[in-house]
Amino acid sequence: MLWQYNSNTKPELNRTYPVQPNIMPINDLVQAISGFNKVAIFGDYDVDGICSSLILKKALDRLGIKNIIRLPERTEGYGLKPEHVKELKQKGFDTIITVDNGITAFEAAEEAEKLGVKLIITDHHEPKSVLPKAYKVFDPKLYDNTYKDYAGAGVAFLIARELLKTKNEPVMIDMIELAGLATVADIVPLDSNNWYIARKGLEYIRKSPVKGIKEILKIADRKSEEVNGFDLGWVIAPRINACGRLQSPVLGLNLLLNGTGAETVEKLNQKRLELVKRYVENIKDNDNKFLIYIFRNCPKGIIGLIAGRISEMFQKPVLIGILQYEQVTASVRTYGEFDLLQAFEYASKNLDIMYGGHKAACGVSFNIRDAKRLQEALNKYFEENPIKQEINLLDGVLLKKPVLEELKSFDDFEPFGYKNPEPAFLINGTVTDIKETVKWRMININGEFNIFVNGTYNTGDNVKLIVRPYINGNYISFKVLDEKPEIV
């Protein structure tokens, strides 16, 4: 990894998260929703989609607006479709509000217009140059000079907050918790407004977590008052996501809403871990700049996880797909600074493919007969637009082991995540001692730092390590972030 040198010698973080005003036309949307008696909320099968749905539901419940949540199964695919509009119309709903999806639901919008259904789209994904012909469309990315990078739950929270204001109702704490969890889990930038949402959510989870989060923490043997950004993104979120990946997102919805089914969810999470490990172990690197792997029997819900793991392993953009009746459905992840949406826009000029999502993570579908041409197009795009290695910022240089009080201040900057990385410090010195067993290897640097490492070292070696010091009980430990850093 590339790291930018910082000559500070104290473990002090210097980060700010200024909140930007929301300059978006939200009042018209809120007034429209306030006038409905009955609403169907259409969400998504991941943490962001589930939390978004619950946040809006809680606001509508408080306002006395009847509502249901409809979450798609993985087998139905992502986003609102014409058949969903028909289904909800038949159930008596003339108003549908999407959360965390809908900005490219062109066919569903046409079906809604035909059936006389008022479709309100609220989303946070990248819009196309043309918008669906819906009753209302709200996406922060449509507006200039305002903060744009919310998660779907962040957008739902903004709307819910304004809805409650119309009746002088306060925002509920659990809404903030759900928005904070989803903001970390959906890997949107943890800066400015997002960091504020995530931070407030974290603070409330520590004090009084919603039932479902409390149950997950209990199973994971984590104390709520000690929860951090890692727990949000790597302990709580994966368990909720496992529901939609391997069975049904409704399990995750019920867990967060009622605190039920935690044991079932935990079993699904363990199964997810085993399946991902099995597929990752069977994938090898090759000469392609943009890796494509297509399976026949891989569960659809884990292809994104596999793509993410392989992308990190081989430091390339990766497409993992499943083949069904000549049609490939795929998840794509990237490494470093590489825009997937632009890559597929380039490929779509000569190929019939569908795609959508984020710059760093998206979904794609295409016919298997076009796989070879797609591979060639993506390789060519990569050659013309190679990955730009991201420069990671060092927070300082450690000359001696920090003390507990210094590290306690790190918590003021939690939750760490995308665009708000873990504290990173350089240790530059000489290996003075080595201890190892069959399972671990620990080196001592300058007689000051004891650090567990993966690489092989000899006494007297000069080493540079990037580490994150943290409190482990009453001791200071070090997590290695990079054993072979390149300092620029």
Side-chain angles (χ1 to χ4, degrees), residues 5 25 33 39 140 165 172 196 220 227 237 239 280 284 286 295 341 355-356 401 408 412 421 425 448 488:
Y5 187 78
I33 296 174
V39 169
K165 280 183 182 178
M172 292 169 274
Y196 184 79
V227 167
R239 286 167 166 82
V280 167
K284 307 298 180 185
N286 59 46
F295 299 99
L341 295 182
Y355 64 94
K401 183 185 285 189
K408 286 179 181 177
D412 293 339
F425 293 86
E448 183 77 16
V488 297

Side-chain angles (χ1 to χ4, degrees), residues 236-267:
I236 301 170
R239 286 167 166 82
I240 299 168
N241 275 332
C243 302
R245 294 186 188 283
L246 297 176
Q247 193 163 328
S248 172
V250 176
L251 290 171
L253 178 70
N254 289 335
L255 177 57
L256 285 178
L257 184 60
N258 305 311
T260 57
E263 295 81 7
T264 301
V265 170
E266 182 61 21
K267 289 178 182 177

Side-chain angles (χ1 to χ4, degrees), residues 126-300:
E126 293 288 342
K128 304 285 187 183
S129 57
V130 178
L131 298 177
K133 294 181 180 178
Y135 178 64
K136 302 284 182 184
V137 178
F138 183 75
D139 185 331
K141 288 186 170 64
L142 293 172
Y143 312 110
D144 295 327
N145 303 317
T146 191
Y147 190 77
K148 301 173 183 288
D149 293 325
Y150 295 100
V155 175
F157 177 75
L158 294 179
I159 296 168
R161 183 179 65 181
E162 296 305 313
L163 280 169
L164 292 172
K165 280 183 182 178
T166 63
K167 300 295 183 181
N168 294 318
E169 292 281 354
V171 169
M172 292 169 274
I173 288 175
D174 49 2
M175 291 167 57
I176 301 173
E177 290 185 26
L178 295 171
L181 169 62
T183 296
V184 175
D186 211 48
I187 319 182
V188 291
L190 288 184
D191 59 4
S192 187
N193 299 25
N194 278 344
W195 185 84
Y196 184 79
I197 291 172
R199 178 67 191 185
K200 288 299 178 184
L202 176 64
E203 290 174 357
Y204 285 124
I205 288 172
R206 287 173 171 176
K207 293 176 183 177
S208 180
V210 299
K211 292 179 182 177
I213 292 177
K214 187 175 183 179
E215 290 300 312
I216 290 174
L217 293 174
K218 183 178 178 181
I219 285 177
D221 196 27
R222 291 288 293 147
K223 296 178 181 178
S224 60
E225 61 269 23
E226 297 176 355
V227 167
N228 55 33
F230 179 85
D231 295 310
L232 297 181
W234 298 97
V235 175
I236 301 170
R239 286 167 166 82
I240 299 168
N241 275 332
C243 302
R245 294 186 188 283
L246 297 176
Q247 193 163 328
S248 172
V250 176
L251 290 171
L253 178 70
N254 289 335
L255 177 57
L256 285 178
L257 184 60
N258 305 311
T260 57
E263 295 81 7
T264 301
V265 170
E266 182 61 21
K267 289 178 182 177
L268 288 174
N269 185 56
Q270 293 303 317
K271 183 179 179 181
R272 170 192 68 86
L273 291 169
E274 294 167 5
L275 283 170
V276 171
K277 183 174 182 291
R278 185 193 311 168
Y279 278 95
V280 167
E281 288 174 346
N282 288 315
I283 294 176
K284 307 298 180 185
D285 197 4
N286 59 46
D287 294 333
N288 287 303
K289 304 295 184 182
F290 197 120
L291 300 181
I292 295 180
Y293 292 92
I294 300 171
F295 299 99
R296 286 189 179 274
N297 300 313
C298 181
K300 184 178 180 181

Side-chain angles (χ1 to χ4, degrees), residues 68-84:
I68 63 165
I69 293 176
R70 171 64 161 92
L71 301 177
E73 304 293 335
R74 286 268 175 176
T75 53
E76 298 176 76
Y78 167 80
L80 184 71
K81 295 178 171 58
E83 52 265 35
H84 297 133

Side-chain angles (χ1 to χ4, degrees), residues 330-397:
S331 282
V332 194
R333 300 293 183 269
T334 191
Y335 178 84
E337 295 290 327
F338 184 84
D339 193 326
L340 292 175
L341 295 182
Q342 288 187 11
F344 284 102
E345 181 181 358
Y346 172 85
S348 67
K349 292 176 181 177
N350 298 307
L351 292 169
D352 183 17
I353 59 176
M354 294 181 63
Y355 64 94
H358 305 287
K359 294 178 180 179
C362 68
V364 182
S365 63
F366 56 92
N367 194 289
I368 187 63
R369 67 172 180 266
D370 293 325
K372 184 177 179 181
R373 292 173 62 205
L374 178 60
Q375 177 74 83
E376 292 170 349
L378 293 174
N379 279 345
K380 185 177 180 182
Y381 179 84
F382 184 98
E383 290 171 0
E384 296 173 355
N385 304 271
I387 287 176
K388 296 178 182 177
Q389 284 201 56
E390 186 175 355
I391 297 178
N392 303 279
L393 297 179
L394 284 169
D395 290 298
V397 179

Side-chain angles (χ1 to χ4, degrees), residues 9-30:
T9 57
K10 294 182 179 180
E12 295 175 350
L13 300 189
N14 183 22
R15 303 183 188 179
T16 58
Y17 311 95
V19 175
Q20 300 178 30
N22 292 306
I23 309 171
M24 293 178 283
I26 197 171
N27 290 338
D28 180 52
L29 172 74
V30 168

